[in-house]
Amino acid sequence: MSTPTEADTDRTTVGALLTNLSLSPRHYVALLVVLGLASAPLWLGTLTLLQMMSAFYFIMFVISWDFVSGYTDQVSFGHTFFFAIGGYTSVILNLELGLPPLVGIVVAIVLTSIAGVLYAIPALRIGGHYLALFTLMPPLILGQLFIMFSDIFGGTRGLPTPDPLLQVGDFATTALANYFLALGILLLIFAISFVITRSDTGKIFKAIREDKYVVSASGLNPAKFKIFAMVVSAALAGFAGAMFAHSPVGSATPGQLLELTIIIDILLASILGGVGTIVGPAVGGFIFWWARQLSDNIEWIVPGLDVPFTRINLIVFYVLTLLIMLFIPRGIFPVLLDFGRSIWARITGESSDSSLDG
Amino acid sequence: MSFIETTIVIALLISALYALLSVGFTMIFGVGGVLNVAHAAFLTLGAYLMLYGIQLFGLGPWTATLFSLALVGLFSVLVYAGPVKLIEDDPIIVVIVTLLIFLIVEEFIFVIEGTSPKSLPVLVAGRVTISSTTIQSNQVFMFFLSWLTIIALLVFVNRTTLGKAIQAVSMTKRGATLVGINQFRISTTTWLIAGVLAGLGGIFLGTFQTAVYNMGLGPLIIAFSVVILGGLGSIKGSIIAAHIIGFLETLTTSLVSPRLTGLAPLLLLVIVLVVKPNGLFGREELE
């Protein structure tokens, strides 16, 4: 960092990032994926489109989680807290006060950002196991509150369906419009997370994870960056949660926004995809969501037990992920990425670069 | 006057159960630095294995209890020696892996039993009256057995060589290894004790209320609260914290509103984490 030239190559400004985009094969892959998703309505039926939307919202949840948990040293087991605050705020405002969903969503983002501050400040004081326990608590408390005041929050069954955010013509057209809306928000959330984590700020996040004392020693306040990371993550989570609750595939119910299984799915998807890369968890989220969805449709009677596979698919699923966690802790995506890089290096004759910043 | 007595009697009963539910969780954390979310699975298994002992093998309530405790203890040891042993150095992965084990067990019982609650037979029938409060004899028995178990545990940990070795490992792993303590053996013993205690807690919970496939989550939250309030790894702290939470919960339920049951300990917990993160009797967590 001593000479200006070194500093220039070391820093990744947004502009440099954009010029870099045309350099590597992985960026062409990314472009192809976006084009593929945008043209998906041409070759997918309405029902599959709706499923794709659910997958998109799940990926947004995963990205918002990875933004703080994969980068700073604060692994959050309680991100469902933000999804639920986002979704419930906007739906309650719509149902009780008749506010349009758009207003509700803006209020939801503001409220989740405040919740992010309230969550981040106590979390600064604690670390390790205490932090893990602390982050587990807010969703549990919120769940208790929902049950206690079930006249407002609908208890375990959740809230009734609010006004849709986007409704055009018949069912199929509405689904199509909502598909593009979901894709657009996904790309927006992805872009925000990607740009911030690849900027200097992202480097500081990672440095905090490695050694926060070194960050302090270089004159930067880790607390400030940790709160910033948590608040941005919370706002993204609340935004996704509120949009999801108004979409045709989502609703403000504990089962869709708050339960323990949701955070488990997010953790698993991120870990399978490679934590702390944004791209990895996004891909992991997509594969994970579809794997789960498809396993629900397997019409196969397990021999010996005489039960349909769909009854035990969750157990099989958890056991499989348990095995992957135990034996491929790095995640599938990073392993595949390294494999792909080594093949690419062999083809082009260059040395492979094993940085995960993809 | 009778209101105060009733509250005290109920609070003491609940606190003893909470202590029993949390002590194993504390010990596993103290010895291995492992946050064992699968603790909730041990509780659930304890209750259901007792039920199966009676239904499938025709055992009496007492033998079924012993049968269940033996199996839960074995299961706990297997959870440690299998998956947890592989990843015990990474606290985050440990939470996820034990959470997965909890969910697998819960889902397994859900597939077999569905959502309908099952009632467990009581170990001691009848009712007794303690200063104008009538309660089931089984609850009184539960109270005494919980205390007996906890006292036996304290004596074991403080007086026997193996117990002192457990304490040594929870104080410093390196030091314990230097004086020739076999850590695997100590950890296995701890998981065995924790499993048996959790199983017993599950059986009591099942006779107190009912056994349902998702009965583990509530007590797990109680165990979190107790352990954080008492300090992670401190057995004495857990017993005291169990009483603070038990009394707090009984008081909010009877004085404020029954709707608030379960909320008071959670709020207390957040306050403790913010104000005194190491709990009342906890040590600073060492890197």
Side-chain angles (χ1 to χ4, degrees), chain B residues 208-273:
Chain B
F208 197 43
Q209 303 158 353
T210 44
V212 203
Y213 79 100
N214 62 359
M215 65 187 282
L217 188 61
L220 181 70
I221 298 171
I222 300 282
F224 283 177
S225 318
V226 165
V227 163
I228 288 187
L229 183 59
L232 282 168
S234 161
I235 297 177
K236 188 181 68 185
S238 293
I239 297 167
I240 294 169
H243 282 80
I244 296 177
I245 288 176
F247 272 84
L248 191 70
E249 197 171 274
T250 316
L251 284 177
T252 38
T253 307
S254 55
L255 290 180
V256 189
S257 157
R259 280 172 108 184
L260 297 178
T261 313
L263 192 66
L266 291 179
L267 289 178
L268 179 75
L269 181 61
V270 173
I271 295 169
V272 169
L273 272 172

Side-chain angles (χ1 to χ4, degrees), chain A residues 214-236:
Chain A
V214 169
V215 175
S216 308
S218 12
L220 297 162
N221 182 0
K224 196 178 82 180
F225 285 92
K226 280 161 90 166
I227 295 176
F228 174 72
M230 186 61 87
V231 171
V232 173
S233 172
L236 295 177

Side-chain angles (χ1 to χ4, degrees), chain B residues 22 29 39 48 71 92 99 104 128 194-195 199 227 230 233 237 239 252 267 273 281:
Chain B
S22 327
F29 180 79
H39 193 74
Y48 274 96
L71 284 184
I92 302 302
L99 199 51
I104 291 170
V128 284
V227 163
I239 297 167
T252 38
L267 289 178
L273 272 172
F281 300 92

